Amino acid sequence: CWPGIRGTDLQTNGNIDIARSAVKDNLNSPLGDSLTMSFVTGLRKNGMGINWHFGYDKSVGGGLTIARTNGAFNASFDTPRAIYRVYDPTSNLWSPWDSTSLDGNNVSVAGDTVIIDSEYRLNWPPRDKVGLNLPGGFTINGSGAYNSLAFLPRGSRLQYYFKAVDINGGVSYQFSSDAFAREVEDLPTLPGSANIAPDIIEFDVLPRKYAVGTVGTLVAGRTDTPVLNLDGAYSGWSAGQDPVTQALRGMGVRADRYRHLQGYVQGANIGGHELTGDRPARLSNYFPNIEEYGITDSLRSWYRIIIQSSHLRTPSVFDESDAQLISNWAATPTNSNDGDRCIFFSGDDGFNALVNQAIGVPGARQQSLASNIFGVANVTTAAPSAAKGAWAGTASNAFPTIDDRFAAQASGPGLAAPGSFTYEIDGGCPGPNRFDPLTATGGAFASATYPIASAVTDVGGVAKASEFDTPTDLDQVKSLAYGFSVQYVRGAPGAIPKTAANYVRSGVQNRMQILYKFLTGCRGARGTGSLCWPCPTDATMMSNWAAASGFNTATYGPLLPIQDFTKATGIGVDDASAAPRVNNQLLGNSPNPFNPMTKIAFSAASAGKVTIRIFNVAGQLVRTLETKVEKAGPASVYWDGKSDRGVGSVSGVYFYKATFANGATLRADKNMVLVK
């Protein structure tokens, strides 16, 4: 959270440009450390239907202090407000809930009073908390005063949602931004009730602080993660769900998430604004770059694995400053035999944007990143009539089948045989996508291919292992590049009809498989052994990687501390848009159809044992699943498609009943379909 446009309140670092530091706590700007949101009601025009009390006026004092009071404010009703709680990384505890009144962001008084754009402002620390302490004596890193928490320390988290109040006392709540984010794995119980938030907005100060890892897992005793997910296309994901986060949680992998603003080439990504000599600074270039702040040192000390994904609508993920930072991070020596650095990048037109810059736009650093780190020389096709950046089959096949020899279970220490692992990618909406054909160079090798088209088999994936420090040591920089977005990975060809409602939400298991092979090929420090890329892996993605025998860690080095299998959620697709329940209810299973595993979601009215019985269409009992519900509310169990005798069930239709702790029994409204 960097205060002020192109500015900072910190002047202790000699590398900071003092001229840019002239902008301090620029309260009136939504691009600084304030946040604005719009509340709209039809009760009165000009925003006067909202029961706001105080407001700023940008024509008065630059909009830095309260300038207006609402004469129509009804004191018997509440004001609009933000409700929040804060996480203390020292104690690993959440604070009691607190709230702050939201002020009119820009009130214009010229005849009628107008709330410009119906916007209301939240600042941190909150304006109405000056001189106050956090509730209940709570402290963060030992400090309980709001005024001393202008900069939340590393590991802090802030969960918040909004309350709108109109002039008639009507109340509405908003728990997400423009779409359900589905980014919070520990949704809170809301204040004053037993309801769990259906979604919530969260702000994390990275690196994140986690609960101590489970004994016997890779993260045993640890509170950090070496994985960073740069979720740079979050508003482009289907139903708001980041497919990378979904896949990582499916396997129980910890990952910090940097969900930056999608103002590409505007300084919002991890590398900050323009470097010296690039394009002139623009109004929205407000994050520091490597010339002003030690971002490279932070990045290399916190993270060993970086995942970046782009989308057809947001191809330009890396600007020059971002590309330079990532290159610096990758090429930083890990010391002799101190373990790998690994980076994964996928995206529709993502590499085309890296390699083929517009005339007059700086691009040398992006091209260097593509060539030196990812081993991608150009993005073109051998078909003379095809457009640059489009694989040869774009015009004729909107759903190409990828032959992925890197992510196949049988790969490692070399590529698997052709056809070992295939899946569709969805390029059919709104029309055939311009998936990038890649060209491997500089020691890189083709790891995945598109189907042959126009007598050409284009490369869809490139893998590269590079050495930037001691040529003879046992660590590498390992990169995996896909010319298509991981968002569009679907199931095996024909597994789910393309006309099915859940087709666009399918492919979770295959995305898990891709990331599984990538992550388990990234090895830690070792003194002896051999190098591998891809590396041998165990047969089960959701097993305990710390105890699995197939990784050949004695030869290729230990896995990095990334997985707690007890936190794995499986391959289900959560429906966070469903309102939370506190009564006995069956909420369906997902995915459906499924193979080999599905999650059966339900809501229990009380804590206790819940028994799920699964039957075939003949009414024969196939499987009995039991789980203990710790508290009333949403819960789930998984069925792996096997009978009580451990035998795999045949393809077909199944139904299930649930018996709850209070004795109530319910039958599901919809059947489950197992498709093999």
Side-chain angles (χ1 to χ4, degrees):
C1 194
W2 198 259
I5 300 176
R6 303 185 300 278
T8 173
D9 284 334
L10 296 177
Q11 299 190 40
T12 58
N13 188 330
N15 293 327
I16 291 179
D17 187 341
I18 299 300
R20 290 192 176 99
S21 301
V23 180
K24 298 293 186 182
D25 186 12
N26 199 8
L27 184 68
N28 66 313
S29 172
L31 301 179
D33 60 352
S34 59
L35 175 72
T36 64
M37 67 294 300
S38 295
F39 295 147
V40 180
T41 175
L43 292 181
R44 283 187 62 184
K45 65 179 183 178
N46 297 334
M48 295 302 290
I50 298 295
N51 196 47
W52 62 277
H53 194 188
F54 300 111
Y56 298 86
D57 186 331
K58 292 187 178 180
S59 68
V60 179
L64 295 175
T65 59
I66 292 294
R68 304 296 181 186
T69 301
N70 182 10
F73 171 69
N74 189 335
S76 62
F77 301 140
D78 194 12
T79 63
R81 62 181 56 248
I83 302 97
Y84 58 87
R85 65 175 188 166
V86 189
Y87 181 83
D88 174 27
T90 303
S91 63
N92 286 332
L93 296 175
W94 285 100
S95 73
W97 290 94
D98 205 350
S99 68
T100 178
S101 180
L102 299 174
D103 304 312
N105 182 56
N106 187 11
V107 182
S108 174
V109 180
D112 291 341
T113 300
V114 177
I115 299 288
I116 304 297
D117 296 327
S118 298
E119 284 189 348
Y120 299 83
R121 181 189 302 176
L122 167 66
N123 192 62
W124 187 269
R127 177 193 60 79
D128 54 5
K129 300 298 181 183
V130 173
L132 300 180
N133 292 330
L134 293 167
F138 194 80
T139 62
I140 298 179
N141 276 15
S143 178
Y146 275 102
N147 289 358
S148 64
L149 294 171
F151 288 88
L152 292 171
R154 291 169 182 166
S156 300
R157 301 165 64 190
L158 183 71
Q159 291 182 342
Y160 59 100
Y161 62 98
F162 301 118
K163 175 184 179 182
V165 182
D166 64 33
I167 56 175
N168 289 342
V171 174
S172 178
Y173 295 94
Q174 180 72 22
F175 294 94
S176 59
S177 51
D178 54 349
F180 281 97
R182 295 182 172 93
E183 62 184 29
V184 179
E185 70 275 13
D186 52 349
L187 290 172
T189 300
L190 299 177
S193 75
N195 292 331
I196 296 177
D199 193 17
I200 199 163
I201 307 172
E202 180 168 314
F203 172 79
D204 294 352
V205 184
L206 301 182
R208 182 168 161 181
K209 175 77 175 293
Y210 295 82
V212 177
T214 305
V215 174
T217 70
L218 288 175
V219 296
R222 301 185 66 101
T223 59
D224 61 353
T225 179
V227 183
L228 177 63
N229 174 20
L230 298 176
D231 181 13
Y234 66 89
S235 71
W237 303 135
S238 174
Q241 175 97 14
D242 172 25
V244 172
T245 296
Q246 183 186 47
L248 295 177
R249 287 183 182 160
M251 296 181 289
V253 174
R254 283 181 178 176
D256 284 353
R257 187 179 186 190
Y258 182 64
R259 192 180 188 185
H260 57 84
L261 288 171
Q262 290 186 258
Y264 295 118
V265 295
Q266 294 186 26
N269 202 350
I270 191 169
H273 64 82
E274 281 92 347
L275 297 168
T276 301
D278 286 345
R279 288 177 289 185
R282 287 155 289 182
L283 177 63
S284 55
N285 290 347
Y286 47 93
F287 287 132
N289 59 36
I290 57 177
E291 296 172 340
E292 302 164 333
Y293 196 72
I295 311 173
T296 302
D297 292 335
S298 297
L299 199 65
R300 69 186 178 190
S301 64
W302 297 340
Y303 303 110
R304 286 297 183 90
I305 299 173
I306 291 180
I307 302 171
Q308 174 67 282
S309 46
S310 68
H311 187 278
L312 183 66
R313 288 183 289 171
T314 54
S316 301
V317 174
F318 291 116
D319 200 2
E320 285 288 85
S321 56
D322 311 312
Q324 188 63 61
L325 172 61
I326 296 298
S327 296
N328 291 354
W329 167 83
T332 299
T334 58
N335 298 321
S336 180
N337 303 333
D338 202 24
D340 302 327
R341 294 189 189 276
C342 303
I343 183 168
F344 172 74
F345 178 37
S346 74
D348 309 20
D349 254 10
F351 278 95
N352 190 27
L354 274 183
V355 175
N356 301 312
Q357 297 297 315
I359 297 176
V361 177
R365 299 180 183 93
Q366 296 168 64
Q367 293 168 359
S368 175
L369 174 68
S371 176
N372 295 328
I373 302 301
F374 290 105
V376 176
N378 55 47
V379 181
T380 184
T381 179
S385 60
K388 199 160 190 171
W391 73 287
T394 298
S396 59
N397 185 0
F399 299 91
T401 296
I402 300 299
D403 185 354
D404 195 333
R405 299 174 59 194
F406 181 97
Q409 186 60 55
S411 70
L415 293 178
S420 300
F421 179 48
T422 60
Y423 49 83
E424 287 181 345
I425 51 175
D426 182 357
C429 181
N433 283 356
R434 293 168 53 84
F435 297 122
D436 289 347
L438 310 181
T439 301
T441 187
F445 55 91
S447 60
T449 57
Y450 299 103
I452 187 170
S454 302
V456 174
T457 301
D458 278 326
V459 175
V462 168
K464 183 179 182 182
S466 305
E467 185 60 73
F468 289 103
D469 48 14
T470 306
T472 58
D473 70 359
L474 295 174
D475 54 45
Q476 296 177 317
V477 174
K478 297 174 176 177
S479 65
L480 184 60
Y482 284 169
F484 49 88
S485 172
V486 70
Q487 156 77 359
Y488 287 150
V489 171
R490 301 288 179 253
I496 299 179
K498 298 177 180 62
T499 56
N502 64 340
Y503 180 75
V504 296
R505 301 185 68 184
S506 65
V508 180
Q509 187 174 11
N510 286 339
R511 291 194 286 273
M512 287 170 60
Q513 177 69 32
I514 292 167
L515 288 168
Y516 170 67
K517 295 295 292 193
F518 165 74
L519 293 168
T520 56
C522 199
R523 299 303 176 100
R526 63 240 191 229
T528 60
S530 302
L531 298 170
C532 61
W533 188 240
C535 298
T537 54
D538 185 71
T540 308
M541 293 184 296
M542 293 166 56
S543 67
N544 182 7
W545 298 357
S549 60
F551 293 108
N552 289 0
T553 55
T555 301
Y556 300 110
L559 302 182
L560 294 174
I562 57 178
Q563 192 229 22
D564 183 345
F565 80 104
T566 66
K567 307 298 184 184
T569 62
I571 64 172
V573 181
D574 291 327
D575 184 7
S577 62
R581 307 284 200 271
V582 291
N583 59 321
N584 291 325
Q585 188 170 357
L586 294 178
L587 303 176
N589 69 296
S590 61
N592 192 26
F594 71 97
N595 179 29
M597 184 176 293
T598 187
K599 182 174 76 171
I600 301 172
F602 59 92
S603 177
S606 59
K609 185 176 74 172
V610 176
T611 302
I612 305 288
R613 293 180 175 87
I614 300 171
F615 304 83
N616 60 23
V617 290
Q620 299 168 320
L621 178 63
V622 175
R623 184 72 179 270
T624 299
L625 304 170
E626 294 183 348
T627 185
K628 183 179 180 182
V629 176
E630 299 294 337
K631 62 180 180 179
S636 61
V637 295
Y638 288 88
W639 182 36
D640 58 4
K642 295 180 180 179
S643 68
D644 283 330
R645 294 184 292 113
V647 178
S649 301
V650 299
S651 298
V653 177
Y654 297 84
F655 67 94
Y656 60 98
K657 296 179 180 179
T659 301
F660 295 88
N662 61 4
T665 298
L666 296 176
R667 172 173 170 163
D669 294 330
K670 295 183 179 180
N671 294 328
M672 299 185 292
V673 180
L674 174 60
V675 178
K676 290 189 175 180

